[in-house]
């Protein structure tokens, strides 16, 4: 047994409620080779009420990161719908790491698969996901990101940036292309679809 396996199990107690419940019920971790002493310690920790505080802090941190990485998507969803969708997403996708940009990309893909009936949502998700793809390139210049809009993106994104819920945004079929240069600067250009 390595210390790393025990530490991984500790992290899972915080990030994975099903795993925590399994261990708290007196079962052993099936995916790690823990000694009897380590299993007993893990079970005690799983039953400790203080673990709930760590879980709450972790969830709050995850929520804060997603709000920071996907501000327009979160604003458009609204608090109640965002919380509902995050609960479903987190249940189906326990975190695999503490890197939040990949989780934000996965949340965008999850929301798109849900096909929620919310005006402008698909366009806003596509824009913020493309922005994340530009950011996540570690080495070199990332490929351009193309986002198809059905509504005027300037008015749509400006309303969200000002903290307003967008209403009556005029139709403007266009393609926004995002690029990032070698200095890390991102730029967006618009081209009407009729001219594309």
């Amino acid at each position: 047994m390595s210390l790393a396996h025990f530490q991984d199990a500790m992290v899972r107690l915080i990030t994975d409620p099903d795993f925590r419940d399994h261990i708290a019920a007196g079962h052993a971790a099936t995916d790690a080779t823990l000694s009897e002493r380590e299993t007993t310690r893990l079970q005690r920790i799983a039953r400790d009420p203080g673990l709930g505080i760590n879980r709450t802090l972790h969830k709050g941190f995850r929520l804060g990161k997603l709000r920071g990485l996907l501000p327009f998507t979160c604003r458009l969803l609204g608090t109640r719908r965002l919380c509902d969708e995050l609960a479903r997403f987190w249940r189906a996708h326990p975190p695999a790491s503490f890197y939040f940009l990949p989780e934000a990309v996965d949340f965008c893909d999850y929301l798109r698969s849900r096909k929620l009936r919310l005006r402008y949502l698909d366009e806003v998700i596509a824009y913020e996901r493309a922005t994340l793809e530009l950011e996540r390139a570690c080495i070199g210049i990332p490929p351009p990101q193309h986002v198809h809009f059905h509504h005027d993106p300037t008015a749509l994104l400006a309303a969200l940036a000002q903290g307003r819920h967008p209403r009556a945004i005029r139709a403007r079929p266009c393609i926004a292309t995002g690029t990032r240069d070698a200095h890390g600067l991102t730029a967006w250009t618009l081209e009407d679809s009729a001219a594309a």
Side-chain angles (χ1 to χ4, degrees), residues 69-105:
L69 292 169
L70 302 171
F72 297 162
T73 299
C74 293
R75 186 165 293 131
L76 194 57
L77 284 170
T79 302
R80 184 178 186 91
R81 183 174 263 172
L82 174 63
C83 289
D84 290 346
E85 292 303 326
L86 278 175
R88 286 187 184 101
F89 173 72
W90 285 341
R91 179 62 73 179
H93 302 88
S97 76
F98 286 108
Y99 294 104
F100 292 98
L101 194 143
E103 182 175 50
V105 170

Side-chain angles (χ1 to χ4, degrees), residues 6-21 23 42 45-62 90-91 94-95 98 100:
F6 184 76
Q7 290 172 338
D8 287 345
M10 287 284 299
V11 169
R12 282 191 66 195
L13 288 179
I14 295 170
T15 62
D16 185 346
D18 292 334
F19 180 74
R20 183 203 61 219
D21 294 345
I23 298 299
L42 204 61
I45 293 167
R47 293 182 195 115
D48 190 304
L51 187 65
I53 294 169
N54 286 316
R55 285 194 43 74
T56 300
L57 291 172
H58 175 68
K59 284 172 69 176
F61 189 67
R62 283 176 84 186
W90 285 341
R91 179 62 73 179
F98 286 108
F100 292 98

Side-chain angles (χ1 to χ4, degrees), residues 9-152:
M10 287 284 299
V11 169
R12 282 191 66 195
L13 288 179
I14 295 170
T15 62
D16 185 346
D18 292 334
F19 180 74
R20 183 203 61 219
D21 294 345
H22 177 78
I23 298 299
H27 303 290
T30 56
D31 59 344
T33 311
L34 300 176
S35 69
E36 186 176 325
R37 184 177 188 185
E38 290 166 329
T39 298
T40 301
R41 285 182 178 168
L42 204 61
Q43 290 168 346
R44 267 193 227 128
I45 293 167
R47 293 182 195 115
D48 190 304
L51 187 65
I53 294 169
N54 286 316
R55 285 194 43 74
T56 300
L57 291 172
H58 175 68
K59 284 172 69 176
F61 189 67
R62 283 176 84 186
L63 175 61
K65 284 296 185 183
L66 280 175
R67 281 186 179 267
L69 292 169
L70 302 171
F72 297 162
T73 299
C74 293
R75 186 165 293 131
L76 194 57
L77 284 170
T79 302
R80 184 178 186 91
R81 183 174 263 172
L82 174 63
C83 289
D84 290 346
E85 292 303 326
L86 278 175
R88 286 187 184 101
F89 173 72
W90 285 341
R91 179 62 73 179
H93 302 88
S97 76
F98 286 108
Y99 294 104
F100 292 98
L101 194 143
E103 182 175 50
V105 170
D106 290 345
F107 186 55
C108 288
D109 294 342
Y110 164 81
L111 287 173
R112 289 170 72 180
S113 74
R114 295 269 298 138
K115 299 183 189 315
L116 300 171
R117 293 181 182 173
L118 184 58
R119 194 168 194 188
Y120 314 120
L121 183 62
D122 289 340
E123 295 164 87
V124 170
I125 291 170
Y127 168 75
E128 288 197 312
R129 190 188 190 290
T131 300
L132 294 174
E133 289 296 345
L134 292 172
E135 289 298 316
R136 97 159 134 178
C138 297
I139 300 172
I141 299 172
Q145 298 294 311
H146 306 285
V147 180
H148 295 266
F149 281 93
H150 302 290
H151 301 89
D152 182 3

